[in-house]
């Protein structure tokens, strides 16, 4: 299940729209993006791009971990 861009630290609705217009529609897309690609989006420089990508990767990793844990949870 795709993860909303709005869940990435520092990404609000207006920024999510800019990212979607650039073809980055989910946190997973953002996590896989290069800093150069993201820096080409208005409002992003290289430093911010690297930080947002790192935050997206952490979010996606945590979401995947939670999904795995839930799939192995024993019913009570």
């Amino acid at each position: 299940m795709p993860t909303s861009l709005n869940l990435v630290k520092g990404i609000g609705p207006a920024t999510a729209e800019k990212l979607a217009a650039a073809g980055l529609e989910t946190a997973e897309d953002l996590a896989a993006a290069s800093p150069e690609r993201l820096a080409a989006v208005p409002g992003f420089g290289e430093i911010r791009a690297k930080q947002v990508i790192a935050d997206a990767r952490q979010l996606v990793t945590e979401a995947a971990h939670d999904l795995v844990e839930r799939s192995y949870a024993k019913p009570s």
Side-chain angles (χ1 to χ4, degrees):
M1 175 176 357
T3 307
S4 172
L5 284 173
N6 291 327
L7 295 176
V8 178
K9 183 179 176 183
I11 304 298
T15 303
E17 284 183 28
K18 290 179 188 177
L19 292 169
L24 301 165
E25 298 179 351
T26 67
E28 290 79 7
D29 293 339
L30 193 54
S34 68
E36 295 79 16
R37 180 175 180 198
L38 189 54
V41 176
F44 285 88
E46 187 176 339
I47 293 171
R48 182 175 182 209
K50 287 178 180 180
Q51 184 60 54
V52 169
I53 289 169
D55 291 340
R57 287 178 179 165
Q58 181 177 356
L59 175 67
V60 169
T61 300
E62 289 172 358
H65 183 264
D66 289 347
L67 183 61
V68 169
E69 279 194 1
R70 282 192 302 256
S71 70
Y72 286 106
K74 295 180 183 178
S76 38

